[in-house]
Amino acid sequence: MSVDLMIGACARAWDGDGEVLASGIGIVPRLAASLAMHRNPDLMMTDSEAFIVSEPVPIGPRNGYVPQFETWMGFSRVFDNVWSGKRHALVTPTQVDRFGQANISAIGDYARPKVQMLGVRGYPGNSISHANSFFVPNHTTRVFVDGEVDMVSSIGYNPERLPKGYSPDDIDIRLIVTNLCVMDFGGPGKQMRLVSLHPGVTTDQVVENTGFDISIPGEVPETAAPTAEDLELIAGFDPHNLRTTAVR
Amino acid sequence: MSVDLMIGACARAWDGDGEVLASGIGIVPRLAASLAMHRNPDLMMTDSEAFIVSEPVPIGPRNGYVPQFETWMGFSRVFDNVWSGKRHALVTPTQVDRFGQANISAIGDYARPKVQMLGVRGYPGNSISHANSFFVPNHTTRVFVDGEVDMVSSIGYNPERLPKGYSPDDIDIRLIVTNLCVMDFGGPGKQMRLVSLHPGVTTDQVVENTGFDISIPGEVPETAAPTAEDLELIAGFDPHNLRTTAVR
Amino acid sequence: MDKTTTASEAIGSLEDGMTIGIGGWGPRRKPMALVREILRSDIRDLTVVSYGGADVGMLCASGRIRKLVFAFVSLDFIPLEPYFRMARQNADIEIMEIDEGMLLLGLRAAAMRAPFIPTAVGLGTDVVTRNDAIRTIESPYGDGKEWVAMPALTLDVALVHVDRADRRGVCQIKGSDHYMDDLYVRAAKRAIVSCDELVDTSYFHDSAEEARYVFWERSATSAVVHAPCGAHPSSCNPLYGIDVEHFKKYAASAKEDDGWQAYVDEFVTGGEARYLDKVGGEAHIRSLPLPVY
Amino acid sequence: MDKTTTASEAIGSLEDGMTIGIGGWGPRRKPMALVREILRSDIRDLTVVSYGGADVGMLCASGRIRKLVFAFVSLDFIPLEPYFRMARQNADIEIMEIDEGMLLLGLRAAAMRAPFIPTAVGLGTDVVTRNDAIRTIESPYGDGKEWVAMPALTLDVALVHVDRADRRGVCQIKGSDHYMDDLYVRAAKRAIVSCDELVDTSYFHDSAEEARYVFWERSATSAVVHAPCGAHPSSCNPLYGIDVEHFKKYAASAKEDDGWQAYVDEFVTGGEARYLDKVGGEAHIRSLPLPVY
């Protein structure tokens, strides 16, 4: 699937977000955030290190480009932003279940994992505090698992895990963009729902590669292709063409 | 009473303190802290604004003197130091009772004070966190009151107010230097105790001007006079001679 | 997003009964232009949270405060704030008197969306016994101690004054201390910021050092009011110092019959341009020497 | 007070079973010279608190860790830390896996001498269900919600690496981020600081700006170890970047039989001077380009 199509689809995660920090973790999410910020300059981005910048920083070697610093935001201050709710992160989990619960910690038995990954990172705090979207470059039943993910790193819409005093509306999982389609949680009772199919992809392909039932509307549109302007912008944000190697 | 004698006596509050922030609030306490830091350069002082300095800053107009900044410590960071316990403050409360409880908040009925003063400031946190000493420029029964102070701004050795899980040894009120004498809490059961009398002052004078019983040892020495070196140092820390007007 | 607005529009958005946090410290970098705008409005019944100076005094004098959350109110070189003192001694206001560090914790709790922060601060003092609203708790980890549960001080609105800001709400404080202003802003649902200088965003691009003096992200700024000398008579280090003479005049007014009304007539009525004129003009204010502590 | 000492003396003061916090973040400004000194010692059964990188990996590889408190362990450009991964997959270590912000709160609670800080973070996730040691509580202010009581992470010792320090423990970090190093230092009973440069106190007097990059008062520093390039192979921005080649070699060693022993023999054994020589010398390290993120 064209990486630019996915970047364009991911960028729409921030549509209507107003003034929040757009955090895109990884090459595709970051390029998507850059595109979104170009469309909505109220969005905020960082230099992926310690400063909020006034315009997206192109990825890869800078070749003389100087980031337009406007606000220091080292890691100790990141959480002030996270907990304020004024952030929307697009992340790439290893597993996602029907509740939107995600896992980047460990696969298999938690006491003795088959595969130890990064650890939960900021997923618990992100998911209880602000909007989150997921980018899944390999839409398979190994990612979209039956049952629960092996280690619930971020809260989703699982009623059995809903904390006391919370309603499902307090959780805000926005968009899931994969190499096959775009989904959200607009199905009945926050069920995962097919929003659009990438060009050439069928509903059956999505169903086969998803480990649980999703809501499928009668009419599923095709994911909009990026415009010529989008393509030019994406190329500008990725002058070294790193995105082509980012997705298998 | 000679202000320099009181400064010299106050300075000894920090004897043996090692490496703590010496906070002297007011002219006499600050000059005392300066003298103490000269003797023990492990002590720390601030510029009374937002920086820790490597040597005491003379009081009053600077006339070209530049404070030797070494560490930023704005108010938001002050409390990190306070709560670490590595501080010893010398303050000037309006009332002190036999438990060492002090008041700078209000005199009279708390709901409708006869005299509203500053408010408790940092007294509650100081007194539960680190060593504290008092400077009392006017030793009278209006300061050293019978019963409890009108508004207990700092914790003392009052057993009825001792928090659950605390022992009196968790509270550390060191020295009280007045215009008449030096006292501490070395009497039986943390009773206030006369340590030394300033030249020309009698025990009776102290007793008459104190609203409660204090412990009086058989032999009460005279408060040591500042040495010639002390006097020179004090004069250096107070180039504009502000201390002479600081004490009535 | 252009967040610039006028002081009167910004203050016009406040409502009776709101909880307002006021940045600065004593007579230092107080958002006095915004406070004066409150005096010119008919807003009342405020709960005010402040490391207090003349901001609190003036709001007391004009009867706007229902409840004050404070650790001190002082003008530093005039230790006792005269109008605050009067309000307390006349029992005109409710109070929640707490330790300076507890106030920080209350703001920090609100900023991090926590209901309270446990602390030893306040134990054994009248801060606990005089404040029914402050509870003590035990730790779930069983240390056998009691702890003060300092409640979150969630603000409807924060008012702060900064050296400079751009139209999008990037705010810079170059003085030696930003006090707890970042916590006020983060603890608030809305933050109204007055600034001495309104600058282009490119101001902050000169070097990464400039961005170090920006203490919150612009999404936390709701409105920007360009108010040159807007901290006067408090200081705005390094731009100008405290106006000692003005504070003396202000304090003296409290000793006169109808002294407050006379102060209002002379300085508050008629808007901020008249105020700056009455107190000697911007050039005069910018020449006020920085305080030495 | 002259706090300078050698790495071996400083690490010699550690005891089996201690709780050790390690500053830095992933492959950034880690006190690796101090970590290598632990590898050269016989200390074991450590509880390690870290935003983990190769510090955690090496301590796992050499069997020093009984329990790890972490949110992630990663080398960034090599996302999965090989020896940490091995230790987990072999169930060699106990863990307390928490959110990055919870780790900050645990350090902050310890720094402010609070037993815990309540937070919503962790609710609904396995961070709560998998950690018996983390309790949920209700607020005494009755908001009808449950809250995670993140316990204080009180450290016996903190290990951090800074750009420069004086002999009295005034420590400066000029890089774009000091991470949580100040919280590690404040959360610890003792803080051992390694520094790239040992400077005279007068270094900090050049301007007040220099003191802005000092993040804790010297009383919080217990020992100063002069360790040029002591963060290698992690970065010490702005002095030097990550040693990508070295990390690749380190990560590759995990795929070999006895790869860890070979790494130890080549780089750890024989002291730090030999180490610097083996990895190309100080001049080479200082020429490593700063990472671009």
Side-chain angles (χ1 to χ4, degrees):
Chain A
M1 191 51 54
S2 146
V3 67
D4 288 346
L5 179 104
M6 292 191 279
I7 292 168
C10 284
R12 284 189 286 274
W14 287 281
D15 277 359
D17 267 3
E19 191 174 32
V20 303
L21 186 73
S23 293
I25 313 294
I27 289 176
V28 167
R30 179 163 156 193
L31 290 171
S34 303
L35 186 59
M37 185 175 174
H38 178 85
R39 289 185 195 148
N40 169 17
D42 287 347
L43 289 176
M44 303 184 291
M45 285 186 74
T46 72
D47 64 349
S48 298
E49 198 166 358
F51 291 93
I52 294 177
V53 288
S54 301
E55 63 180 27
V57 175
I59 60 174
R62 300 269 161 87
N63 295 339
Y65 175 85
V66 178
Q68 304 291 286
F69 303 120
E70 69 176 42
T71 300
W72 185 78
M73 196 167 75
F75 282 119
S76 55
R77 201 175 280 170
V78 163
F79 302 99
D80 293 327
N81 169 257
V82 169
W83 298 333
S84 80
K86 291 184 178 171
R87 183 174 187 241
H88 180 169
L90 175 62
V91 296
T92 301
T94 307
Q95 293 181 325
V96 176
D97 63 28
R98 69 187 189 279
F99 304 116
Q101 299 176 146
N103 177 19
I104 43 163
S105 164
I107 301 287
D109 176 14
Y110 189 68
R112 194 185 180 106
K114 190 172 156 228
V115 183
Q116 172 66 42
M117 299 176 298
L118 289 175
V120 295
R121 294 218 63 163
Y123 274 37
N126 293 353
S127 58
I128 197 81
S129 303
H130 59 66
N132 291 276
S133 293
F134 301 142
F135 170 59
V136 176
N138 50 338
H139 189 144
T140 66
T141 53
R142 288 178 57 179
V143 176
F144 292 105
V145 295
D146 190 17
E148 281 195 302
V149 296
D150 292 349
M151 198 282 182
V152 177
S153 308
S154 60
I155 188 172
Y157 299 114
N158 183 349
E160 294 194 4
R161 286 180 182 262
L162 194 68
K164 188 181 166 200
Y166 283 74
S167 113
D169 290 335
D170 294 327
I171 314 301
D172 189 1
I173 313 179
R174 285 293 171 82
L175 225 53
I176 302 179
V177 177
T178 79
N179 58 328
L180 300 182
C181 65
V182 176
M183 298 182 288
D184 67 9
F185 287 86
K190 307 269 183 198
Q191 190 184 19
M192 206 182 284
R193 176 180 70 172
L194 187 58
V195 170
S196 70
L197 289 162
H198 296 345
V201 177
T202 65
T203 300
D204 282 354
Q205 256 180 290
V206 172
V207 168
E208 269 167 37
N209 286 287
T210 306
F212 46 84
D213 287 345
I214 60 173
S215 170
I216 300 174
E219 295 271 303
V220 181
E222 186 172 280
T223 306
T227 66
E229 195 206 350
D230 288 345
L231 294 172
E232 200 176 320
L233 286 164
I234 293 168
F237 293 132
D238 182 20
H240 307 285
N241 225 356
L242 300 177
R243 68 195 180 284
T244 51
T245 57
V247 179
R248 275 155 289 185
Chain B
M1 191 52 53
S2 145
V3 66
D4 288 345
L5 179 104
M6 292 192 280
I7 292 168
C10 283
R12 284 188 287 274
W14 286 282
D15 277 358
D17 267 2
E19 191 173 34
V20 302
L21 186 72
S23 293
I25 313 294
I27 290 176
V28 166
R30 178 163 156 193
L31 290 171
S34 302
L35 186 58
M37 185 176 175
H38 179 85
R39 288 184 195 148
N40 169 17
D42 287 347
L43 289 176
M44 302 184 292
M45 285 186 74
T46 73
D47 65 348
S48 297
E49 199 167 357
F51 290 93
I52 294 177
V53 287
S54 301
E55 63 180 26
V57 175
I59 61 175
R62 300 270 160 87
N63 294 338
Y65 175 84
V66 178
Q68 303 291 286
F69 304 118
E70 68 175 43
T71 301
W72 185 78
M73 196 167 74
F75 282 119
S76 56
R77 201 175 281 171
V78 163
F79 302 100
D80 292 327
N81 168 257
V82 169
W83 299 332
S84 80
K86 292 183 177 171
R87 184 173 186 243
H88 180 169
L90 175 62
V91 296
T92 301
T94 307
Q95 293 181 325
V96 176
D97 62 28
R98 68 186 189 280
F99 304 115
Q101 298 175 147
N103 177 21
I104 44 164
S105 163
I107 300 287
D109 176 14
Y110 188 67
R112 194 185 181 106
K114 191 173 156 226
V115 183
Q116 172 65 42
M117 300 177 297
L118 289 176
V120 295
R121 295 217 63 164
Y123 274 37
N126 293 353
S127 57
I128 199 81
S129 303
H130 59 65
N132 290 276
S133 294
F134 301 142
F135 169 59
V136 175
N138 50 337
H139 190 144
T140 66
T141 53
R142 289 178 56 178
V143 177
F144 292 104
V145 295
D146 191 17
E148 280 195 303
V149 294
D150 292 350
M151 197 281 183
V152 177
S153 308
S154 60
I155 188 172
Y157 299 114
N158 183 350
E160 294 195 4
R161 286 181 181 261
L162 194 68
K164 187 181 167 201
Y166 283 74
S167 114
D169 291 335
D170 294 327
I171 314 301
D172 189 3
I173 314 178
R174 286 293 171 82
L175 225 53
I176 302 179
V177 176
T178 79
N179 58 328
L180 300 182
C181 65
V182 177
M183 298 183 287
D184 66 11
F185 287 85
K190 307 269 185 200
Q191 190 184 21
M192 205 181 286
R193 175 180 71 173
L194 187 58
V195 170
S196 69
L197 289 162
H198 296 344
V201 177
T202 64
T203 300
D204 282 354
Q205 256 180 291
V206 171
V207 168
E208 269 167 39
N209 286 288
T210 306
F212 47 84
D213 287 345
I214 60 173
S215 171
I216 299 174
E219 295 271 301
V220 180
E222 187 171 279
T223 307
T227 64
E229 194 205 352
D230 290 343
L231 293 172
E232 200 178 317
L233 285 164
I234 294 168
F237 293 131
D238 181 21
H240 307 285
N241 224 357
L242 301 177
R243 68 195 180 284
T244 52
T245 56
V247 179
R248 275 154 288 182
Chain C
M1 199 186 321
D2 187 343
K3 296 175 184 167
T4 56
T5 182
T6 62
S8 69
E9 267 191 54
I11 296 303
S13 71
L14 305 193
E15 290 168 30
D16 292 350
M18 275 188 165
T19 297
I20 310 287
I22 305 178
W25 182 281
R28 314 183 201 184
R29 211 166 33 69
K30 281 284 175 183
M32 296 306 294
L34 298 176
V35 169
R36 282 186 289 272
E37 205 57 38
I38 294 179
L39 302 181
R40 292 178 196 118
S41 79
D42 56 5
I43 294 154
R44 53 189 62 252
D45 287 331
L46 296 174
T47 293
V48 170
V49 179
S50 179
Y51 293 98
D55 54 328
V56 169
M58 291 184 187
L59 293 172
C60 281
S62 62
R64 310 311 176 101
I65 300 183
R66 187 181 63 74
K67 182 178 177 184
L68 178 67
V69 180
F70 75 108
F72 65 83
V73 183
S74 174
L75 305 174
D76 280 9
F77 74 99
I78 303 172
L80 305 181
E81 217 293 340
Y83 288 107
F84 159 69
R85 188 172 194 174
M86 212 179 281
R88 275 287 285 139
Q89 294 176 189
N90 292 334
D92 286 339
I93 55 172
E94 290 175 45
I95 57 167
M96 179 185 197
E97 181 174 4
I98 53 177
D99 174 89
E100 291 167 356
M102 290 172 76
L103 208 162
L104 174 150
L105 291 178
L107 294 173
R108 187 175 278 170
M112 61 169 64
R113 310 299 189 257
F116 69 93
I117 295 180
T119 177
V121 178
L123 289 176
T125 75
D126 276 337
V127 159
V128 170
T129 56
R130 299 287 188 181
N131 279 302
D132 291 342
I134 297 179
R135 305 279 167 79
T136 58
I137 58 166
E138 299 196 356
S139 164
Y141 301 107
D143 52 21
K145 290 184 170 181
E146 64 181 313
W147 295 91
V148 173
M150 178 62 210
L153 295 170
T154 302
L155 310 172
D156 291 306
V157 176
L159 308 178
V160 301
H161 183 77
V162 301
D163 299 19
R164 59 190 59 81
D166 76 0
R167 292 177 175 277
R168 305 175 309 145
V170 178
C171 300
Q172 189 186 56
I173 299 170
K174 268 286 183 73
S176 57
D177 199 343
H178 59 281
Y179 313 122
M180 316 304 180
D181 284 12
D182 53 336
L183 294 176
Y184 278 100
V185 167
R186 296 187 188 285
K189 292 169 195 159
R190 286 196 301 131
I192 300 172
V193 179
S194 59
C195 60
D196 250 79
E197 300 171 5
L198 188 64
V199 298
D200 191 79
T201 297
S202 62
Y203 182 94
F204 303 104
H205 298 161
D206 287 349
S207 81
E209 308 310 301
E210 295 294 341
R212 285 270 185 171
Y213 294 88
V214 178
F215 295 94
W216 58 87
E217 53 280 11
R218 61 181 153 82
S219 58
T221 306
S222 309
V224 174
V225 175
H226 186 204
C229 300
H232 182 274
S234 72
S235 59
C236 187
N237 173 353
L239 302 178
Y240 45 90
I242 290 171
D243 192 336
V244 170
E245 292 312 313
H246 188 89
F247 271 124
K248 284 183 180 167
K249 188 166 185 173
Y250 162 74
S253 75
K255 291 177 184 137
E256 308 291 325
D257 288 343
D258 298 321
W260 173 245
Q261 191 54 50
Y263 182 90
V264 168
D265 291 346
E266 185 170 359
F267 295 111
V268 180
T269 308
E272 203 62 12
R274 180 171 172 275
Y275 175 81
L276 290 176
D277 197 45
K278 283 281 183 182
V279 298
E282 288 185 37
H284 167 69
I285 292 171
R286 289 185 194 279
S287 74
L288 291 168
L290 298 181
V292 171
Y293 295 97
Chain D
M1 199 188 319
D2 186 343
K3 296 174 184 167
T4 55
T5 182
T6 62
S8 67
E9 267 191 54
I11 295 304
S13 71
L14 305 193
E15 290 167 30
D16 292 352
M18 275 188 166
T19 297
I20 310 287
I22 304 179
W25 182 281
R28 312 184 202 183
R29 210 165 34 66
K30 282 284 175 183
M32 295 308 292
L34 298 177
V35 169
R36 283 186 289 272
E37 204 57 39
I38 294 180
L39 302 181
R40 292 177 195 119
S41 78
D42 55 4
I43 295 155
R44 53 190 61 252
D45 286 331
L46 296 175
T47 293
V48 170
V49 179
S50 179
Y51 293 98
D55 53 328
V56 169
M58 292 184 186
L59 293 173
C60 282
S62 62
R64 310 312 176 102
I65 299 185
R66 186 179 62 75
K67 182 177 177 184
L68 178 68
V69 180
F70 75 107
F72 65 83
V73 183
S74 174
L75 305 174
D76 282 7
F77 73 99
I78 303 172
L80 304 181
E81 217 293 339
Y83 288 106
F84 158 69
R85 188 173 194 174
M86 211 180 281
R88 275 287 283 139
Q89 294 176 189
N90 292 332
D92 287 338
I93 55 172
E94 291 174 44
I95 58 167
M96 178 185 197
E97 181 173 4
I98 54 177
D99 173 90
E100 291 168 357
M102 290 173 75
L103 208 162
L104 175 150
L105 291 178
L107 295 173
R108 186 175 278 169
M112 61 169 64
R113 310 300 189 255
F116 69 93
I117 295 180
T119 177
V121 179
L123 289 175
T125 74
D126 277 336
V127 158
V128 170
T129 55
R130 299 287 188 181
N131 280 301
D132 291 342
I134 297 179
R135 306 278 166 79
T136 58
I137 58 165
E138 299 196 357
S139 163
Y141 301 107
D143 52 20
K145 290 184 170 180
E146 64 181 313
W147 296 91
V148 173
M150 178 60 211
L153 295 170
T154 302
L155 309 173
D156 291 306
V157 176
L159 307 179
V160 301
H161 183 77
V162 301
D163 298 19
R164 58 190 59 81
D166 76 359
R167 293 178 173 276
R168 304 174 310 145
V170 178
C171 300
Q172 190 187 55
I173 299 169
K174 268 285 183 74
S176 58
D177 199 342
H178 59 282
Y179 313 120
M180 316 304 181
D181 284 12
D182 53 336
L183 294 177
Y184 277 100
V185 166
R186 295 188 187 285
K189 292 169 194 157
R190 287 195 300 129
I192 299 172
V193 178
S194 59
C195 60
D196 249 81
E197 300 171 6
L198 188 65
V199 297
D200 192 79
T201 297
S202 62
Y203 182 94
F204 302 103
H205 298 162
D206 287 349
S207 81
E209 308 310 301
E210 295 294 341
R212 286 270 185 170
Y213 294 87
V214 177
F215 295 94
W216 58 87
E217 52 281 9
R218 60 180 154 83
S219 58
T221 306
S222 309
V224 174
V225 174
H226 185 203
C229 301
H232 183 275
S234 72
S235 60
C236 187
N237 173 353
L239 302 178
Y240 45 90
I242 290 171
D243 193 336
V244 169
E245 292 312 313
H246 188 89
F247 271 124
K248 283 183 180 167
K249 188 165 184 172
Y250 161 75
S253 76
K255 291 177 184 137
E256 307 290 324
D257 288 344
D258 298 321
W260 173 244
Q261 191 55 50
Y263 182 89
V264 169
D265 291 346
E266 184 170 1
F267 295 111
V268 180
T269 308
E272 203 62 12
R274 180 171 173 275
Y275 175 81
L276 290 176
D277 197 46
K278 284 281 183 183
V279 298
E282 289 185 36
H284 166 68
I285 292 172
R286 289 183 195 281
S287 74
L288 291 168
L290 297 181
V292 170
Y293 294 98

